[in-house]
Amino acid sequence: MGLPNASGDLSTEVEVDAFRRLFPLRFYEKHLLESIRPDARPLGRARETTIALGAVASANGSALAKIGSTTMLAAIKMEVMTPSLETPDEGCIGLLPLAACFPLSLSLLKTSGMINLKELSLVSGKAAWMAYLDIYCLDADGALFDTALLSAVAAFSHLEIPVVSLNDDGKIVLSEEQGLSDREPVNKEKRKINLSSVPFSLTCVLHKKYILADPTAEEESIMDTIVTVVLDSSSQLVSLHKPGGTVLAYTSAIQDCIALTRQRVKELQKILEEAISGMEVD
């Protein structure tokens, strides 16, 4: 694509790259006039997205999620805990240090109702599961929250609850670790947890009249108004986040962002379902 400057059209790849580095906003605006982005995506299209389940063999549940170049690895480790007096029939979800960089992801997993914490109960008032979630950012190129949330959701989809038994002291322990395979297990076999109202998100950047879905890091840095919409698997609004920015988020713009997110949720559901089906075949 030729990009005009004071000396005429730029004709070589080197000149185009130099113009992009020196005048990034002008470079993008030239593309926006044609409703296309430098990576050839239409404005409303997300990047290629993949999910690989079971990426960490030592974890009870794990997933590697990629959106474009942005890559997140989520892993879940289950431990037995004593439930609180306030919720004797519920387990808990906690963040390990690296996942603490994405606290909103955990908050959404809880508030969306994706996980019924009663499913994590073992013995009322005495024992329950604590699911420790950790998220590692392996590559960052925009839409970090979307990728982190997707990796966490996928890891919980892959999660298997271990088999536990009572030891000689009356404590609940992992049967395999303690060599208690001959004891009556508290839970009979490894099992999945039921997920409902699964949250998915889409981040958009706003610039003048334009809305760009799933921005790269370069797009986020140039166009500083960001909107992240989170919908559940039934397309119900879970969260909307706009951390400042120079562009006013008019009602019509927000509605357009939500409409793009609805389309994206369908795409992500299909990708996750295909990943789960692939694991079952294996």
Side-chain angles (χ1 to χ4, degrees), residues 51 200 264-277:
I51 296 172
F200 297 99
R264 180 63 170 158
V265 166
K266 294 178 182 178
E267 295 173 4
L268 294 176
Q269 284 178 306
K270 182 178 179 181
I271 292 169
L272 181 57
E273 288 168 1
E274 289 175 349
I276 294 172
S277 297

Side-chain angles (χ1 to χ4, degrees), residues 14-83:
V14 173
E15 289 174 323
V16 170
D17 184 64
F19 184 86
R20 181 174 189 166
R21 291 174 182 274
L22 292 171
F23 308 103
L25 187 56
R26 285 176 58 191
F27 176 83
Y28 267 89
E29 287 179 337
K30 178 65 177 177
H31 286 78
L32 293 178
L33 288 173
E34 300 180 22
S35 297
I36 199 74
R37 294 151 87 163
D39 60 8
R41 279 188 293 157
L43 304 188
R45 180 179 298 171
R47 292 167 291 177
E48 181 180 359
T49 302
T50 60
I51 296 172
L53 300 179
V56 182
S58 60
N60 299 112
S62 62
L64 182 76
K66 295 187 67 174
I67 299 179
S69 296
T70 300
T71 307
M72 297 281 180
L73 175 64
I76 302 168
K77 195 68 176 175
M78 305 296 287
E79 292 187 6
V80 177
M81 67 162 198
T82 301

Side-chain angles (χ1 to χ4, degrees), residues 190-256:
K190 290 183 178 180
R191 63 179 177 85
K192 298 284 189 180
I193 59 174
N194 296 312
L195 304 181
S196 61
S197 302
V198 178
F200 297 99
S201 65
L202 176 67
T203 295
C204 300
V205 290
L206 310 182
H207 180 68
K208 296 181 178 178
K209 64 178 181 178
Y210 302 104
I211 299 176
L212 287 71
D214 180 30
T216 62
E218 182 182 39
E219 290 169 340
E220 288 181 347
S221 67
I222 295 170
M223 306 169 202
D224 64 349
T225 300
I226 300 176
V227 175
T228 298
V229 179
V230 183
L231 302 179
D232 66 19
S233 46
S234 300
S235 290
Q236 297 299 308
L237 182 64
V238 176
S239 172
L240 192 150
H241 184 54
K242 178 182 176 292
T246 58
V247 177
L248 293 175
Y250 294 105
T251 301
S252 59
I254 294 299
Q255 289 174 339
D256 289 342

Side-chain angles (χ1 to χ4, degrees), residues 80-155:
V80 177
M81 67 162 198
T82 301
S84 68
L85 295 175
E86 292 78 16
T87 55
D89 297 313
E90 293 184 2
C92 225
I93 303 172
L95 284 180
L96 288 172
L98 288 177
C101 298
F102 306 98
L104 188 56
S105 296
L106 178 60
S107 174
L108 287 170
L109 293 177
K110 291 180 176 180
T111 59
S112 68
M114 182 181 85
I115 299 170
N116 181 358
L117 296 179
K118 291 185 182 297
E119 282 202 49
L120 300 181
S121 177
L122 286 167
V123 179
S124 179
K126 293 184 178 181
W129 287 111
M130 165 68 85
Y132 285 107
L133 170 67
D134 213 352
I135 301 174
Y136 304 80
C137 181
L138 304 182
D139 198 350
D141 185 24
L144 300 188
F145 173 80
D146 298 344
T147 316
L149 180 60
L150 181 61
S151 69
V153 165

